[in-house]
């Protein structure tokens, strides 16, 4: 019997509207997402370290689908990279997002109204971090769907008022789903630590963490 079977990780409500569903993605689906992300990373807009307005550079590498994100706005073309239009947001990602809402919140009908139109794909090497921030460039208050593949990490989920306490640290492992919406849609959150060497090569990730977040921008097409 494996350690995972002895100590199963259970679905947990971290805060109102914020739900952690461990092991939601099967290994095969994780591998499919890794392959898709590698394709997106090649272009038309390649993966890059985002330059921040103050001159700093994000330690994670990012590629976008549907809409291009740069601090702190969305556009159809990556004017800060190569001016190309980003890859189209595929229908199968919309369906995945709706299934994620069912897994997090149950079948209450809201999942069919969910229409994510952008994905931010972040790659963390062992040294990468993400400071506490809010996802607030969207005009829609629809939930954010976050998928983790590869190395485990500490995900710090905070409050809507400040980057500091109170917050809750959650360990996200490969295949985990985290959804936040409703009263915690605009909560501060970040990744202070990645656990090197915890990735399962069967997922297609020999190292590092891949995080895919699906969002509904609310922007006109």
């Amino acid at each position: 019997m494996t350690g995972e079977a002895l100590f199963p990780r259970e679905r947990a409500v971290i805060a109102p509207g914020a739900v952690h569903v461990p092991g939601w993605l099967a290994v095969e689906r994780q591998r499919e997402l890794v392959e898709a992300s590698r394709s997106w990373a090649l272009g038309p807009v390649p993966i890059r370290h985002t330059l921040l307005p103050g001159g700093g550079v994000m330690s994670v590498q990012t590629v976008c689908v549907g809409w291009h994100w740069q601090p702190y706005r969305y556009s159809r073309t990556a004017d800060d990279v190569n001016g190309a239009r980003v890859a189209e947001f595929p229908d199968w990602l919309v369906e995945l997002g709706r299934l994620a809402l069912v897994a997090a919140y149950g079948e209450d009908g809201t999942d069919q109204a969910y229409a994510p139109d952008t994905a931010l794909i972040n790659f963390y090497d062992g040294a990468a971090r993400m400071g506490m921030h809010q996802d607030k460039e969207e005009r829609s208050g629809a939930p954010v769907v976050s998928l983790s593949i590869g190395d485990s990490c500490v995900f710090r989920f905070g409050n809507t008022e400040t980057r500091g306490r109170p917050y809750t640290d959650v360990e996200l492992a490969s295949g985990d789903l985290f959804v936040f919406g409703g009263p915690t849609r605009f909560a501060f959150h970040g990744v202070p630590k990645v656990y090197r060497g915890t990735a399962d090569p069967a997922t297609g990730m020999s190292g590092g963490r891949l995080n895919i977040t699906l969002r509904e921008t609310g922007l006109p097409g």
Side-chain angles (χ1 to χ4, degrees):
M1 185 176 291
T2 66
E4 184 175 344
L6 283 170
F7 304 104
R9 298 179 304 135
E10 303 291 340
R11 174 186 178 278
V13 177
I14 305 303
V19 181
H20 175 211
V21 185
W24 184 64
L25 287 170
V27 170
E28 294 77 15
R29 197 62 193 270
Q30 293 178 58
R31 191 162 53 244
E32 291 171 359
L33 286 167
V34 169
E35 291 171 358
S37 297
R38 286 189 172 130
S39 175
W40 292 323
L42 295 175
V45 180
I47 195 168
R48 88 289 184 195
H49 292 278
T50 302
L51 180 66
L52 298 171
V57 177
M58 292 179 64
S59 60
V60 302
Q61 297 179 68
T62 304
V63 66
C64 304
V65 177
W67 288 87
H68 179 73
W69 177 87
Q70 66 182 93
Y72 292 98
R73 64 185 180 88
Y74 286 106
S75 61
R76 286 296 194 186
T77 56
D79 301 322
D80 61 330
V81 184
N82 61 359
R85 185 181 174 94
V86 297
E88 295 295 323
F89 193 87
D91 291 341
W92 61 265
L93 266 185
V94 177
E95 182 59 27
L96 186 62
R98 290 173 177 170
L99 291 172
L101 288 199
V102 172
Y105 298 145
E107 296 194 53
D108 58 3
T110 59
D111 56 292
Q112 289 307 306
Y114 188 52
D117 58 347
T118 190
L120 271 65
I121 299 102
N122 290 324
F123 174 72
Y124 295 72
D125 62 19
R129 304 289 183 268
M130 182 74 75
M132 295 293 278
H133 66 284
Q134 294 170 298
D135 294 341
K136 60 180 183 180
E137 288 75 47
E138 300 79 23
R139 295 181 185 174
S140 169
V144 173
V145 169
S146 175
L147 305 168
S148 296
I149 305 173
D151 283 342
S152 298
C153 77
V154 175
F155 179 65
R156 182 161 291 169
F157 193 76
N159 62 86
T160 58
E161 302 299 325
T162 172
R163 287 180 172 82
R165 296 181 184 275
Y167 55 69
T168 300
D169 284 348
V170 181
E171 182 174 315
L172 296 183
S174 195
D176 285 7
L177 165 68
F178 196 98
V179 177
F180 56 101
T184 54
R185 167 59 180 82
F186 297 101
F188 284 92
H189 55 283
V191 177
K193 183 177 180 60
V194 173
Y195 294 105
R196 296 174 186 259
T198 54
D200 180 357
T203 65
M205 295 282 292
S206 59
R209 173 181 183 251
L210 192 67
N211 177 227
I212 301 172
T213 62
L214 310 183
R215 308 161 186 210
E216 189 177 298
T217 65
L219 296 169

